[in-house]
Amino acid sequence: MKLSKRIYALAAQIEHGESVSDIGTDHGYVPMLLMKEGVSPKVIMSDISGGSLARAKRTFSLCGIYTDPGDFRIGDGLETISPGETDAVIIGGLGGHTIASILDSDLNKAKSFKKLVLQPRKHSGTLRYYLYTHGWDIIREVLVPEGKFECEILVATPSEQYASRNAPYPEDDIRWKYPEILMTTDPVSAAKRINWKIGSIRQQIENLRVSSSDRTDTIARMSKDLEYLEHLLSVN
């Protein structure tokens, strides 16, 4: 069974001995890997789709791994697991808005777990903003290639100081999407990602400059974004 680098990277965020709930487990590859390598003593696989859970069961069967049938659970978001039932919760492959909504649906339960391992497919800036303002600290970020793209993995723990806090800048600020910590993950991959965004912004600015309408304010905002991204590259 060939697994993607994304699956290995998600599993790598779990420490030896930590139990795990995998929300939206699909094929159950991450829990399977954690059990096969003896990392986690217990894994819970949860999915809103019965078909997905059937695939997860098949994955475990093919790998010869036994786990309690009750650890395969059908349901939406965190509703299938009890507060603090596992040490860590993994939510991967969904959009940042959706992940934030899952956490926000039962904030007290979400904070009962020691660690969140989150892999947003898009809108990672929105997710970072949500975590910051709702009392989580992002302790680690990982970039991992998947096809033509770089997947972002955020590892967060409940803040010991803040139940909530005001954001230093608006949700749509580019610093949520491209935080300084990104350059400490994989500098080569981060630089590639940032350079792509720089090229995209420059092209947008050129298009706006030849527009028939006055786009001065938009160009000024985008120029500030460009300056920030170029600064990120220059200091790392």
Side-chain angles (χ1 to χ4, degrees), residues 5-16 18 30 33-34 37 39 90 115 117 140 142 153 155:
K5 291 181 179 179
R6 180 180 71 92
I7 296 298
Y8 283 106
L10 283 167
Q13 309 316 309
I14 303 303
E15 303 293 332
H16 183 81
E18 287 183 330
V30 175
L33 193 60
L34 293 171
E37 297 188 350
V39 175
I90 298 174
K115 183 166 70 179
V117 180
R140 184 164 62 255
V142 178
I153 297 174
V155 181

Side-chain angles (χ1 to χ4, degrees), residues 4-7 9-10 93 118-122 124 128 141-154 177 182 185-186 189 193:
S4 70
K5 291 181 179 179
R6 180 180 71 92
I7 296 298
L10 283 167
L118 311 174
Q119 186 260 304
R121 284 288 186 187
K122 56 183 178 178
S124 61
R128 287 188 185 90
E141 297 215 15
V142 178
L143 279 179
V144 58
E146 186 178 45
K148 296 180 180 179
F149 304 98
E150 300 287 338
C151 291
E152 298 173 81
I153 297 174
L154 315 180
K177 178 67 175 174
L182 200 64
T185 56
D186 179 340
S189 295
R193 183 183 181 92

Side-chain angles (χ1 to χ4, degrees), residues 165-179:
R165 52 194 161 194
N166 295 325
Y169 26 84
E171 182 179 346
D172 62 355
D173 192 289
I174 199 169
R175 286 170 286 187
W176 293 114
K177 178 67 175 174
Y178 297 91

Side-chain angles (χ1 to χ4, degrees), residues 11-222:
Q13 309 316 309
I14 303 303
E15 303 293 332
H16 183 81
E18 287 183 330
S19 56
V20 172
S21 295
D22 187 27
I23 307 301
T25 194
D26 196 30
H27 287 82
Y29 289 148
V30 175
M32 177 277 292
L33 193 60
L34 293 171
M35 291 288 283
K36 184 178 181 180
E37 297 188 350
V39 175
S40 295
K42 178 181 179 63
V43 294
I44 293 172
M45 287 140 289
S46 177
D47 205 291
I48 198 171
S49 164
S52 292
L53 274 186
R55 289 192 289 270
K57 290 177 181 179
R58 184 170 183 270
T59 295
F60 271 62
S61 177
L62 288 173
C63 294
I65 302 172
Y66 173 80
T67 188
D68 190 319
D71 291 338
F72 295 93
R73 305 178 186 181
I74 297 178
D76 191 14
L78 301 177
E79 70 178 20
T80 60
I81 52 178
S82 302
E85 187 174 1
T86 56
D87 297 310
V89 169
I90 298 174
I91 310 177
L94 302 175
H97 289 289
T98 302
I99 294 175
S101 178
I102 288 172
L103 299 176
D104 203 50
S105 66
D106 194 334
L107 192 56
N108 288 332
K109 181 188 285 188
K111 287 191 175 181
S112 71
F113 307 104
K114 296 177 182 178
K115 183 166 70 179
L116 302 176
V117 180
L118 311 174
Q119 186 260 304
R121 284 288 186 187
K122 56 183 178 178
H123 303 136
S124 61
T126 294
L127 183 56
R128 287 188 185 90
Y129 176 87
Y130 175 83
L131 292 171
Y132 183 91
T133 56
H134 287 75
W136 273 279
D137 295 327
I138 297 176
I139 61 171
R140 184 164 62 255
E141 297 215 15
V142 178
L143 279 179
V144 58
E146 186 178 45
K148 296 180 180 179
F149 304 98
E150 300 287 338
C151 291
E152 298 173 81
I153 297 174
L154 315 180
V155 181
T157 57
S159 173
E160 295 181 358
Q161 293 181 286
Y162 306 100
S164 63
R165 52 194 161 194
N166 295 325
Y169 26 84
E171 182 179 346
D172 62 355
D173 192 289
I174 199 169
R175 286 170 286 187
W176 293 114
K177 178 67 175 174
Y178 297 91
E180 291 189 12
I181 192 176
L182 200 64
M183 295 302 297
T184 68
T185 56
D186 179 340
V188 174
S189 295
K192 180 181 177 181
R193 183 183 181 92
I194 291 170
N195 275 313
W196 178 88
K197 185 63 175 179
I198 287 173
S200 175
I201 292 176
R202 284 175 176 166
Q203 185 60 57
Q204 291 178 66
I205 289 175
E206 288 304 311
N207 293 340
L208 291 173
R209 281 175 176 160
V210 298
S211 173
S212 58
S213 57
D214 183 7
R215 308 303 295 273
T216 303
D217 290 344
T218 303
I219 290 173
R221 176 179 56 79
M222 296 183 75

